[in-house]
Amino acid sequence: MTRVAAIDCGTNSIRLLIADVDAGGDRPKLTDIVRQMRVVRLGQGVDATGEFAPEALDRTLAATADYAELIRRHGAERVRFVATSATRDASNRQVFIDGVRELLGVEPEVISGDEEAALSFAGASSVLPSRGKDPVLVVDLGGGSTEFVLGDADGVIAAKSVDVGCVRMTERHLRTDPPTAEQITAAEADVDAAIGEAAQTVPLERATAVVGVAGSVTTITAHALGLDEYSAAAIHGTELDLATARAACTSLLHLSRDERAALPYMHPGRVDVIGAGGLVWRRVLERLAHVTQGRIATAVTSEHDILDGIALSIS
């Protein structure tokens, strides 16, 4: 049994998992000790300016300092800090990297989109029933990027990361409350182009099932289920028919900010970007239904994702 600490620093949130890893059996098993998420919006303005805003850096490093204290308190033996889309894009990322190193005592890793995709698949598939040789598509819908990963029991078959996410699409297109038809059309064009780019690498038509991970998808699922509060236990493993999932996406896209904020399962840090998350997820599901000729008729939601993959990678 090894105690590890994994930190996933994305465009919208920074998350910590401290877990005990049992390496016995067919595949390693994680037992959560601490699992936390803070919405810090590190990627604030990065799509437009190409650099981190000072206030975004301050928020993220403050959260990192809190996580460092939790890691020390719980005695994690191994620590891995992974940064993704926003950090790949920021010209002043060295300031952030230096700050994290000073706080944690480990070198933060700015990973490629392909590695992000592989870690997401490892995390999602670690808690799903094995489908053997039937390829499963894992879609990690983040703040700055979305990863498409096709894999089976032997691991990743193909993966591609594309630069569409809930923060990036909100800042680029969905600027009014609620967004206009013209803004939605422009965002859909960007998303469709990105899915087409992913499809050049990842044979989407081979997928026999789709699993969605990360905060946008889990919140959309909570909306579809009409939960009284956010419940990871209720959300994890939920299988929605595509019509229900798409209807939830459309609803969130067209609600006003105040209406979204009033939803009992809505994290305050997702209120202003969940509409774009719904737009991206809806277009992905529509594309999958088309290219698989209706073979994919449902979508599974997983609460386990890249954070779990990071923890498993250092076990």
Side-chain angles (χ1 to χ4, degrees):
M1 194 79 73
T2 305
R3 182 159 293 184
V4 302
I7 298 177
D8 166 39
C9 185
T11 300
N12 196 45
S13 63
I14 183 169
R15 300 180 302 151
L16 168 70
L17 171 60
I18 301 174
D20 288 333
V21 185
D22 183 353
D26 293 338
R27 54 185 178 179
K29 180 182 178 182
L30 296 174
T31 300
D32 289 11
I33 305 300
V34 174
R35 191 182 284 261
Q36 287 195 10
M37 185 270 288
R38 306 265 189 97
V39 174
V40 292
R41 195 64 56 80
L42 176 62
Q44 171 193 330
V46 169
D47 186 62
T49 67
E51 62 180 30
F52 290 134
E55 61 271 27
L57 283 170
D58 289 345
R59 291 192 298 266
T60 308
L61 290 175
T64 302
D66 291 343
Y67 287 173
E69 175 56 32
L70 284 170
I71 290 168
R72 284 190 289 271
R73 188 186 311 163
H74 289 280
E77 300 166 52
R78 300 173 187 169
V79 181
R80 187 179 184 192
F81 183 108
V82 164
T84 54
S85 178
T87 310
R88 288 196 294 267
D89 295 346
S91 60
N92 60 341
R93 60 181 171 271
Q94 195 60 47
V95 177
F96 176 58
I97 290 169
D98 292 343
V100 171
R101 186 192 305 111
E102 182 176 345
L103 289 167
L104 280 179
V106 298
E107 188 70 20
E109 302 172 53
V110 184
I111 61 171
S112 69
D114 287 346
E115 185 173 1
E116 182 177 359
L119 288 169
S120 295
F121 184 81
S125 62
S126 70
V127 292
L128 297 174
S130 174
R131 297 177 63 92
K133 289 294 187 179
D134 292 338
V136 174
L137 181 72
V138 172
V139 181
D140 184 345
L141 200 174
S145 66
T146 296
E147 284 67 51
F148 294 79
V149 199
L150 188 72
D152 58 20
D154 292 332
V156 174
I157 296 168
K160 180 67 176 177
S161 177
V162 292
D163 284 340
V164 293
C166 60
V167 174
R168 196 184 296 268
M169 290 299 97
T170 300
E171 291 185 352
R172 189 179 293 178
H173 296 295
L174 307 185
R175 298 193 179 97
T176 62
D177 176 32
T180 65
E182 292 77 13
Q183 290 170 355
I184 291 171
T185 298
E188 287 178 335
D190 262 11
V191 173
D192 289 347
I195 297 171
E197 180 187 349
Q200 293 177 18
T201 301
V202 182
L204 303 179
E205 69 281 356
R206 290 183 55 191
T208 62
V210 60
V211 180
V213 303
S216 283
V217 176
T218 60
T219 303
I220 291 163
T221 303
H223 189 57
L225 295 173
L227 298 181
D228 293 331
E229 61 181 1
Y230 191 93
S231 167
I235 292 165
H236 180 63
T238 292
E239 186 170 6
L240 298 174
D241 65 81
L242 295 193
T244 300
R246 288 160 55 190
C249 293
T250 300
S251 171
L252 288 167
L253 177 60
H254 290 286
L255 290 176
S256 70
R257 191 185 195 286
D258 287 346
E259 289 169 329
R260 295 193 301 271
L263 297 171
Y265 39 80
M266 184 67 62
H267 189 286
R270 296 203 188 281
V271 171
D272 58 336
V273 296
I274 191 60
L279 184 149
V280 175
W281 189 226
R282 185 178 70 182
R283 298 306 276 186
V284 169
L285 296 180
E286 288 169 351
R287 180 66 168 263
L288 286 172
H290 174 70
V291 300
T292 64
Q293 299 181 326
R295 182 177 64 252
I296 289 184
T298 62
V300 177
T301 301
S302 174
E303 283 277 352
H304 298 266
D305 51 26
I306 186 174
L307 189 60
D308 302 74
I310 296 166
L312 290 167
S313 74
I314 53 174
S315 63

